[in-house]
Amino acid sequence: MARTNPIQFLQQVRSEVSKVTWPGRNEVVISTIMVIVLVILASLFFLLADQVISWLVSLMLSIR
């Protein structure tokens, strides 16, 4: 693999970055809101699952 000097590397990086299609503000806001909502839903699901499992384990351990 051929090695490139740092200046040539930075030129190539700048060229590639200029080809990137960056998301617009509206797309970023919508994606951020979606991520926050899904994180809240996932945390509520795992909280509920943890509470149910905890209740079942305590129920099983209390029966003699």
Side-chain angles (χ1 to χ4, degrees):
M1 182 175 207
R3 294 185 54 127
T4 59
N5 64 28
I7 294 172
Q8 188 179 16
F9 174 74
L10 291 175
Q11 288 172 345
Q12 290 173 355
V13 168
R14 186 172 180 186
S15 172
E16 291 299 320
V17 168
S18 69
K19 297 176 187 177
V20 173
T21 304
W22 298 101
R25 180 177 175 84
N26 190 34
E27 187 177 355
V28 171
V29 169
I30 290 173
S31 297
T32 302
I33 291 171
M34 286 174 53
V35 167
I36 291 170
V37 168
L38 290 175
V39 165
I40 290 170
L41 290 174
S43 64
L44 289 174
F45 169 76
F46 286 115
L47 174 67
L48 179 65
D50 183 50
Q51 293 299 316
V52 169
I53 292 170
S54 174
W55 178 74
L56 288 172
V57 168
S58 67
L59 181 67
M60 290 189 330
L61 292 177
S62 67
I63 296 175
R64 295 178 193 238

